Amino acid sequence: MSAAAAFCADKPWSHGALTLTPDSMYFQHSDGTPFFYLADTGWLLPERLDRDEAAFYLERAARAGFNVVQVQTINGVPAFNTYGAMSHPDGWDFSNIDRQGTYGYWDHMDYIIDTAGRNGIYIGMVCIWGGLVKAGLMDVDQARAYGEFLAHRYKDRPNIIWIIGGDIPGDVKTEVWDTLARTIKANDPSHLMTFHPRGRYTSAQWFADREWMDFHMYQSGHRRYDQRKGDRNYPIPDGTEEDCWMYVDSTRVHSPRKPVVDGEPSYEAIPMGLHDADEPRWTDRDVRRYAYWDVFGGCAGHAYGHNAIMQFARPGTAGAYHLDTDSLPWWRALDSGGFNQMRHLKALMLAVPFTTGRPAQDLVSDNGTRHDRLAATAGDGYAMIYDHTGRPIHTTAGDGANVWWMDAASGDLTPLGFRKGNFTYTPDPAMADGVLILITPSAGYIPEGAKNIHEIKTH
């Protein structure tokens, strides 16, 4: 009983189950407390880390501000974990899965979920990777059996978010995905559910009307502006590959309205376009841009990823996507800039009533194109403009606002005083990647003298 109390005390779910805000734009708990979805992508966590490593990683993820970790529950049929335990010892019959004296695959999954819970982290469970279903390794009947097993095993854990799909278009084996989703929902109606699609797609293209879909997810993907390749009919125009905010708009054209999250943007330290080792690597500065563009564009949160962490690469193993596992094993990647900078965005959004926010590009007289885009959002008593390149920002404070500049790399705040009407601000080149913050004086969200965004209490 004491362990159960420790699991729930002062954790996000102590405010109740995750649900949607009344306008279906954001997440909140059942007591009305807002929830900002900030995920790390830990795809191969269940398969590659042992108990000590999983505990170490999840503690570091929590310290870095992540409240969700997205994982591949199984990446094979069967899947094997670091202990050599098999996910499917009896095929799709799970009636005898818990064997006395054996630390099985699902015992290890239980441990990961419970350890995440002690760190205040939800596990976003991608039930089975899409390529396995495409290859015919799970059919409708097997999806029903698997869904019943997953739902009954984990429906009482408070820190579960179900993710159907897994890097696949929803029109591939749609009947299998529908069966899996509906089976889980029928047995576990209390946890939120979404679908992780193929790169440069949104789940709303196929599942906007599904009763099991609680929020939408898109994958803005890993391509640079000149890497369209003409190989798909994507929902955004040619030449906009990096414009992740466009996927929010392409999702919003579908009804009913639901929250939106970019479940897989460009990963830090991965080659641009994925498949050519000679291409430049995405940096922490790049992943910050994706995060602020997504959230200021209307997302209810964001998922970060790192090439080494998502596959938990280590020396002696072959790293996917041209990763040098000797020089950058997963535990060293935990010190990378992007992994430790996403928390500044989360702290910024929680410093204001962000669930009242909406994209507000009309605040900027020159929105800019490509990397020069100035992304703006505004809500009750606040407005914010993200500037990736440090170009001048021409905006208005209306009847008056207290203004700050936040360095996106550090969360440090620079007070710019009281402004009224139209004004121009040009960022210091040393802190060119950051956010112009305007707060109505009566709102008082940022107290005078605050030096860093983490000094601000949350709303």
Side-chain angles (χ1 to χ4, degrees):
M1 290 178 64
S2 62
F7 186 92
C8 293
D10 300 322
K11 300 298 190 292
W13 40 88
S14 66
H15 296 282
L18 279 183
T19 184
L20 310 187
T21 53
D23 61 4
S24 297
M25 291 282 287
Y26 296 98
F27 303 114
Q28 65 178 22
H29 295 279
S30 56
D31 70 354
T33 302
F35 178 79
F36 182 81
Y37 183 113
L38 184 63
D40 183 36
T41 304
W43 290 139
L44 294 182
L45 167 59
E47 293 83 12
R48 291 198 169 172
L49 298 195
D50 64 24
R51 289 168 64 97
D52 289 340
E53 291 169 332
F56 172 72
Y57 161 70
L58 289 165
E59 190 272 335
R60 285 292 303 269
R63 280 170 47 191
F66 295 105
N67 52 22
V68 181
V69 171
Q70 299 174 174
V71 305
Q72 289 184 23
T73 305
I74 56 172
N75 71 335
V77 182
F80 292 85
N81 64 22
T82 189
Y83 297 104
M86 182 191 301
S87 61
H88 292 64
D90 299 314
W92 295 98
D93 178 2
F94 297 98
S95 58
N96 191 36
I97 197 68
D98 295 313
R99 297 174 182 179
Q100 188 173 3
T102 299
Y103 185 68
Y105 188 95
W106 298 100
D107 295 309
H108 192 51
M109 192 73 226
D110 298 346
Y111 171 82
I112 288 169
I113 293 169
D114 292 344
T115 304
R118 287 190 288 273
N119 284 280
I121 292 174
Y122 288 87
I123 293 295
M125 294 184 69
V126 178
C127 304
I128 178 172
W129 205 241
L132 303 175
V133 174
K134 182 178 180 180
L137 298 179
M138 185 176 78
D139 61 24
V140 167
D141 291 337
Q142 293 163 341
R144 188 174 296 110
Y146 185 44
E148 289 179 354
F149 163 70
L150 289 176
H152 285 294
R153 193 174 188 95
Y154 297 119
K155 65 182 180 181
D156 293 327
R157 258 64 169 205
N159 60 323
I160 298 294
I161 296 171
W162 297 112
I163 305 178
I164 309 302
D167 197 33
I168 192 167
D171 56 359
V172 176
K173 304 286 187 177
T174 306
E175 69 284 358
V176 175
W177 301 122
D178 272 327
T179 299
L180 179 62
R182 286 173 174 145
T183 302
I184 292 173
K185 270 293 185 181
N187 293 280
D188 176 21
S190 63
H191 289 123
L192 296 184
M193 180 178 284
T194 188
F195 182 94
H196 178 275
R198 184 82 171 174
R200 294 158 301 282
Y201 285 117
T202 168
S203 61
Q205 290 174 248
W206 309 284
F207 303 115
D209 62 346
R210 294 305 200 270
E211 75 289 350
W212 52 261
M213 178 69 74
D214 296 305
F215 68 100
H216 286 303
M217 183 172 280
Y218 62 86
Q219 181 187 161
S220 57
H222 307 274
R223 291 184 182 178
R224 195 177 53 231
Y225 278 123
D226 60 354
Q227 293 179 325
R228 174 67 178 233
K229 301 180 181 179
D231 57 351
R232 293 288 192 282
N233 182 24
Y234 298 126
I236 63 172
D238 286 345
T240 61
E241 289 74 18
E242 295 180 47
D243 292 337
C244 53
W245 50 273
M246 286 190 174
Y247 291 94
V248 187
D249 297 338
S250 68
T251 301
R252 291 268 186 252
V253 302
H254 298 275
S255 62
R257 183 168 62 190
K258 295 171 183 177
V260 185
V261 171
D262 188 350
E264 188 172 331
S266 293
Y267 290 162
E268 188 170 6
I270 210 165
M272 297 179 181
L274 293 181
H275 303 296
D276 186 346
D278 294 329
E279 288 285 357
R281 306 290 168 124
W282 295 109
T283 68
D284 60 337
R285 185 182 176 94
D286 296 312
V287 299
R288 291 197 302 271
R289 171 172 53 83
Y290 275 90
Y292 285 88
W293 275 4
D294 274 333
V295 172
F296 286 16
C299 278
H302 186 71
Y304 160 85
H306 190 289
N307 192 15
I309 299 170
M310 65 92 175
Q311 55 185 306
F312 293 97
R314 66 184 70 222
T317 63
Y321 303 113
H322 310 289
L323 181 71
D324 181 349
T325 56
D326 291 327
S327 65
L328 191 61
W330 68 266
W331 54 86
R332 287 190 59 193
L334 297 177
D335 296 321
S336 63
F339 183 83
N340 294 284
Q341 293 161 358
M342 294 296 108
R343 67 190 186 100
H344 308 322
L345 169 61
K346 177 184 167 189
L348 174 63
M349 302 312 292
L350 291 176
V352 299
F354 76 92
T355 60
T356 67
R358 299 290 185 272
Q361 293 305 124
D362 57 337
L363 287 174
V364 183
S365 61
D366 176 13
N367 283 257
T369 60
R370 295 201 168 188
H371 292 173
D372 279 335
R373 175 179 173 79
L374 298 174
T377 184
D380 291 350
Y382 75 91
M384 298 185 287
I385 303 167
Y386 171 72
D387 186 343
H388 179 64
T389 60
R391 72 185 186 92
I393 302 172
H394 307 291
T395 188
T396 180
D399 293 334
N402 294 321
V403 182
W404 286 263
W405 179 257
M406 190 192 84
D407 180 4
S410 66
D412 289 341
L413 295 168
T414 301
L416 303 177
F418 180 80
R419 302 294 177 98
K420 188 174 183 179
N422 297 328
F423 71 99
T424 298
Y425 176 70
T426 303
D428 182 331
M431 298 185 295
D433 178 50
V435 182
L436 188 70
I437 307 169
L438 298 86
I439 305 294
T440 301
S442 61
Y445 301 137
I446 301 179
E448 185 177 349
K451 303 293 186 182
N452 189 278
I453 195 63
H454 295 280
E455 298 172 22
I456 315 303
K457 72 174 184 177
T458 62
H459 285 75

